[in-house]
Amino acid sequence: QNYSADADAGADADAGDNDQTSSSSNTAIQLAQFIGTGPEGDTVLNLLQNKIGQKAATQLTVRSKSRMRTCTTIVESESSTELVEPSGIILDEERLEFMKKLEEAVVTDDADAAVLDLCFMGSMPPGCPKS
């Protein structure tokens, strides 16, 4: 659950259309993720919705019952230190919901709604199998 967002990501998107889709081909970007509860998770989800649109930020998102962790980077002139809180445990039902959402996005008869490519980044949170 280590998420970092580039403040300029999607800056060239049309301000009136935050869904990041193209009518000629499936170029939608969607985030598949767990977002924890609490004000931190609410803030991250709101930021994502404002940046990439409601559907892209939530269609493949599962809100976990665990609080969202905070990672802080302290930057000095020639070094940096990262303080990383431990991730909360993902419950079996949350993991299964996540996998169901991914499967529905990949296996669909609607070519315009199908996810064509997946990119996995980061480590698996506690509660998820290693494989």
Side-chain angles (χ1 to χ4, degrees):
Q1 271 185 322
N2 187 5
Y3 305 106
S4 95
D6 180 352
D8 294 328
D12 5 338
D14 178 31
D17 180 18
N18 284 337
D19 280 340
Q20 299 285 311
T21 57
S22 166
S23 59
S24 61
S25 65
N26 187 344
T27 58
I29 295 173
Q30 295 183 24
L31 298 175
Q33 62 193 342
F34 295 105
I35 293 184
T37 59
E40 302 87 354
D42 295 343
T43 298
V44 168
L45 186 58
N46 287 332
L47 288 169
L48 289 171
Q49 288 172 338
N50 290 336
K51 194 65 157 175
I52 64 174
Q54 170 81 21
K55 179 180 176 185
T58 61
Q59 185 173 355
L60 300 177
T61 295
V62 172
R63 296 296 302 266
S64 68
K65 292 181 179 160
S66 297
R67 291 186 64 93
M68 186 163 187
R69 75 178 181 176
T70 300
C71 302
T72 304
T73 304
I74 301 169
V75 180
E76 298 179 75
S77 60
E78 295 185 24
S79 66
S80 64
T81 301
E82 188 169 29
L83 307 172
V84 180
E85 291 182 351
S87 295
I89 295 175
I90 300 301
L91 303 175
D92 283 342
E93 60 264 21
E94 295 165 344
R95 182 181 50 81
L96 292 171
E97 179 184 353
F98 182 77
M99 296 305 293
K100 181 180 179 195
K101 286 183 174 204
L102 279 179
E103 183 178 340
E104 289 172 351
V106 173
V107 181
T108 178
D109 293 333
D110 184 355
D112 290 330
V115 171
L116 303 178
D117 299 300
L118 295 172
C119 177
F120 294 90
M121 298 181 289
S123 58
M124 297 296 284
C128 294
K130 299 282 183 209
S131 58

